[in-house]
Amino acid sequence: MILIIDFGSQTTHLIARRIQEEGVKTKIVLPDEALKNIEELQPSGIILSGGPSSVYSTDGLLIDKKIFKKNIPILGICYGLQLMSQLLGGKVDPGTKKEYGPATFDINQKEKNILFQTIPQQTFGVWMSHFDEVIEPPAGFIVTGSTPTVKIASFEDQKRKFYGIQFHPEVHHTEFGDVILFNFLKVCKEKTKVERKLDKVLKSRINDQSIKNMVLKLKEQIGSQKAICALSGGIDSAVAAALTYRAIGDNLTCFYVDTGLMRMGETEQIKKTFNEKVKLPLKVIYAENEFLKALKGITDPEQKRKIIGELFIRIFEREALRMAQGKPSKGKPILIQGTIYPDVIESKGTKHAQTIKTHHNVGGIPSAHTFTIIEPLREYYKDEVREIAKMLNFPPEMIWRHIFPGPGLAVRIIGEVTKEKLEILKKADAIVIEEIKKAGLYEDIWMAFAVLAGIKTTGVGGDERKYGETIAIRAIESKDTMTAEWVRLPYDLLAKISNRIVTEVFEVTRVVYDITTKPPATMEWE
Ligand code: XMP
């Protein structure tokens, strides 16, 4: 819900209407009751409306400054922008020229303006109605746009999520006004109409009954036999295991293979989550040496994937045999896998599809093996699997953990995989994730990671020539894995990541950012 504080503008009600058109609730309150309402209603965003007052006149309408300490995004419109400026330490003066009616607004291209980022033009027509103007923004704010008359026609403090615009986005004469309000709603993490519709569709596929049906189907498929589940640490296999555990209880044994191709500290973290939070018994198999040996000298991506897929299966066969020792075996042992639909389609899982890449748990499986494979999520997409995980009460850190491919870092090291290269990549990757988390962007991104590009380039360190490795950073947005857009990470964040990698990972002399969409590129480099 968005709380609108009314300073007497003719168009306050129109702001509410525009927000409601996006399917989001609003409440209009007076300035002196604003703080109380914010504390009671916990809105996801606050809008300070325009109004006829002047912030420096004695009858200027003010507001309790505590609203700026509530950690809630705020958008100030016209008087709202001036008030925000005045209360946070900026300067407002009577303007030299009145600005009523149409004006041309110019986006400051140097800054990454969150409110204007999806507007396809640098200049556009806006509607103004003011006399005062901000002549100095408060500390922490950057100026994001101007008009020929007003230098500071918009500003923002990205860190605190405070935004001010001198013009009125709610009136239809302002071009892209709806886009600006929409972008503010996104900052407030409000769901838009389209997203609400998608949620409904998701709920119609994933609900208590559909989960019951999945468990029932697993019960019928497995009966009284024993099954093993290959956990990768990711959400798909964990959900597949949790559903199977509901169906057959202790007849399920879960394995996690530490291939050595995992991210830094991953095995320990997975053990902890499964033991303490998901409460699924987990057996860890340490197999780094086996994987490195099998991958020695291999540079072709598809070969790598097939070798890894095969080795996984052989290890599971070995473990299944060990489990069955001394006991009569009824039919083929059952292997539960967390394969989802995009894995299937990219591995030529339908008759007329092409193989894009062999996902380790689909095309990577050798045709000769001793298992009956059951894949309860084969028809589902990642967002649906996450919804099931929520319904199974998985901890949020597991649901929102960035996806990691089964073949692990092997497909993020271009060329042969070695222990040394793995160490370099793990360190660089940990820095990427740590900085993205610190910037508060981790959960907004589908996946972010480092790639060891396999290109050596010339650098200079301590006045010496250094011929070192290249790390590529990839950060992508996606909904269902099939298509992806690269994330516009802030330059400052990229600079920090790059500086840290080249100083903390000795072998690296160059860092580049991958700006390709899928298609034509895929998310992983191999
Ligand atoms: P691509 O690179 O195909 O990746 O655009 C799409 C998503 O799938 C993940 N991925 C895999 N997941 N086994 C998996 O379990 C695999 O072999 C595999 N290959 C790619 C990838 O990380 C991305 O999220």
Side-chain angles (χ1 to χ4, degrees):
M1 189 263 252
I2 300 289
L3 196 85
I4 301 168
I5 305 174
D6 180 21
F7 293 97
S9 164
Q10 304 286 306
T11 51
T12 301
H13 203 263
L14 207 47
I15 303 174
R17 190 174 149 190
R18 296 282 172 261
I19 304 277
Q20 285 162 19
E21 279 166 3
E22 271 306 330
V24 176
K25 282 193 193 140
T26 57
K27 182 170 181 187
I28 299 176
V29 297
L30 293 172
D32 53 1
E33 36 180 57
L35 185 64
K36 186 171 144 269
N37 272 278
I38 289 167
E39 283 168 353
E40 275 173 22
L41 301 170
Q42 303 281 322
S44 58
I46 299 168
I47 295 182
L48 312 175
S49 85
S53 298
S54 181
V55 289
Y56 53 81
S57 74
T58 45
D59 62 349
L61 276 174
L62 297 179
I63 195 164
D64 196 320
K65 269 193 193 176
K66 285 195 198 112
I67 74 156
F68 297 106
K69 298 267 178 219
K70 295 286 175 196
N71 210 10
I72 300 174
I74 301 179
L75 170 65
I77 295 174
C78 193
Y79 176 77
L81 154 120
Q82 295 158 11
L83 182 70
M84 194 185 256
S85 176
Q86 180 81 353
L87 294 178
L88 295 174
K91 268 197 196 145
V92 181
D93 255 11
T96 45
K97 282 187 200 159
K98 288 184 171 130
E99 220 181 6
Y100 295 135
T104 306
F105 179 78
D106 191 24
I107 300 176
N108 179 353
Q109 289 295 306
K110 277 191 305 217
E111 305 296 345
K112 183 175 177 278
N113 314 298
I114 298 219
L115 293 191
F116 312 135
Q117 64 186 348
T118 48
I119 294 177
Q121 293 166 211
Q122 186 181 336
T123 41
F124 57 95
V126 297
W127 213 254
M128 293 282 201
S129 181
H130 71 108
F131 187 63
D132 290 352
E133 92 180 64
V134 173
I135 54 162
E136 199 180 302
F141 280 74
I142 49 166
V143 178
T144 55
S146 55
T147 68
T149 334
V150 181
K151 264 202 200 137
I152 304 176
S154 68
F155 60 33
E156 67 189 40
D157 176 342
Q158 291 181 2
K159 211 166 184 182
R160 287 185 288 178
K161 300 196 169 100
F162 294 161
Y163 311 87
I165 42 183
Q166 184 59 73
F167 58 87
H168 289 266
E170 68 276 20
V171 302
H172 83 265
H173 283 103
T174 291
E175 285 181 276
F176 307 110
D178 52 345
V179 176
I180 294 167
L181 290 172
F182 178 91
N183 285 342
F184 179 65
L185 292 180
K186 298 303 299 167
V187 171
C188 302
K189 302 216 182 303
E190 276 289 353
K191 289 199 171 162
T192 58
K193 240 184 192 166
V194 176
E195 285 169 330
R196 277 167 220 272
K197 222 184 218 169
L198 289 175
D199 273 359
K200 253 194 185 160
V201 176
L202 187 65
K203 278 278 166 219
S204 70
R205 252 171 84 78
I206 310 297
N207 49 47
D208 285 340
Q209 193 52 47
S210 60
I211 290 181
K212 264 189 202 151
N213 291 345
M214 288 168 94
V215 172
L216 216 66
K217 189 169 168 203
L218 280 164
K219 240 184 205 162
E220 277 168 19
Q221 281 174 303
I222 306 173
S224 61
Q225 295 183 83
K226 290 200 183 290
I228 65 170
C229 183
L231 288 174
S232 67
I235 192 78
D236 306 341
S237 53
V239 166
L243 291 170
T244 313
Y245 196 61
R246 283 195 173 191
I248 64 166
D250 289 338
N251 269 352
L252 174 74
T253 307
C254 296
F255 291 110
Y256 163 78
V257 181
D258 182 343
T259 57
L261 307 170
M262 322 300 295
R263 289 170 284 202
M264 194 179 268
E266 192 146 36
T267 299
E268 290 316 305
Q269 200 192 333
I270 286 168
K271 267 175 26 186
K272 204 164 169 259
T273 315
F274 274 87
N275 288 337
E276 293 173 9
K277 307 230 167 119
V278 184
K279 303 223 184 298
L280 268 181
L282 181 68
K283 195 170 165 204
V284 181
I285 301 163
Y286 293 93
E288 179 178 11
N289 290 341
E290 256 179 283
F291 275 88
L292 282 180
K293 205 168 141 207
L295 290 168
K296 197 168 166 38
I298 307 295
T299 54
D300 176 68
E302 279 297 279
Q303 228 184 323
K304 281 186 196 173
R305 287 176 165 273
K306 286 189 175 143
I307 288 172
I308 292 168
E310 160 133 29
L311 192 48
F312 265 118
I313 281 285
R314 298 303 168 224
I315 291 173
F316 295 140
E317 280 176 345
R318 210 164 62 203
E319 292 304 319
L321 254 179
R322 208 171 282 169
M323 259 171 57
Q325 250 174 21
K327 293 173 209 152
S329 63
K330 275 192 273 163
K332 281 185 174 186
I334 288 170
L335 176 67
I336 308 290
Q337 294 220 109
T339 314
I340 61 172
Y341 189 69
D343 296 331
V344 177
I345 191 75
E346 292 207 341
S347 298
K348 192 177 172 30
T350 60
K351 192 173 171 195
H352 301 293
Q354 272 222 338
T355 303
I356 305 300
K357 58 178 70 174
T358 304
H359 281 221
H360 77 295
N361 45 350
V362 188
I365 294 183
S367 48
H369 62 75
T370 53
F371 290 108
T372 298
I373 292 181
I374 295 182
E375 295 167 322
L377 303 173
R378 203 179 159 90
E379 300 291 322
Y380 292 86
Y381 285 92
K382 185 65 86 182
D383 51 338
E384 296 172 326
V385 176
R386 285 194 162 131
E387 191 59 30
I388 301 175
K390 274 191 228 162
M391 297 186 70
L392 295 175
N393 292 324
F394 274 41
E397 71 267 20
M398 182 150 194
I399 297 175
W400 297 111
R401 211 164 135 260
H402 286 186
I403 298 170
F404 191 60
L409 300 182
V411 291
R412 294 179 182 173
I413 291 176
I414 312 310
E416 186 187 6
V417 180
T418 64
K419 180 129 177 124
E420 295 68 39
K421 288 186 192 172
L422 279 166
E423 288 310 311
I424 298 170
L425 184 55
K426 281 181 191 179
K427 281 189 250 171
D429 187 70
I431 293 170
V432 173
I433 297 300
E434 195 183 313
E435 289 302 330
I436 285 179
K437 279 188 176 163
K438 267 201 242 163
L441 296 173
Y442 186 78
E443 287 186 7
D444 298 332
I445 293 176
W446 175 267
M447 61 199 285
F449 54 90
V451 176
L452 189 63
I455 312 161
K456 284 208 161 190
T457 71
T458 304
V460 53
D463 290 336
E464 273 178 29
R465 180 180 194 272
K466 219 173 137 190
Y467 192 53
E469 299 287 351
T470 306
I471 285 286
I473 301 167
R474 184 130 171 86
I476 35 199
E477 266 170 36
S478 180
K479 186 98 184 132
D480 52 22
T481 340
M482 304 310 292
T483 52
E485 175 66 289
W486 59 279
V487 179
R488 272 57 170 174
L489 286 181
Y491 283 172
D492 286 351
L493 174 60
L494 286 169
K496 206 178 214 175
I497 292 173
S498 164
N499 282 341
R500 278 197 61 195
I501 292 177
V502 289
T503 41
E504 294 173 38
V505 191
F506 174 77
E507 296 84 350
V508 179
T509 46
R510 196 172 296 271
V511 177
V512 296
Y513 191 43
D514 182 349
I515 51 167
T516 357
T517 51
K518 171 184 178 174
T522 54
M523 297 186 189
E524 303 291 344
W525 272 35
E526 286 196 334

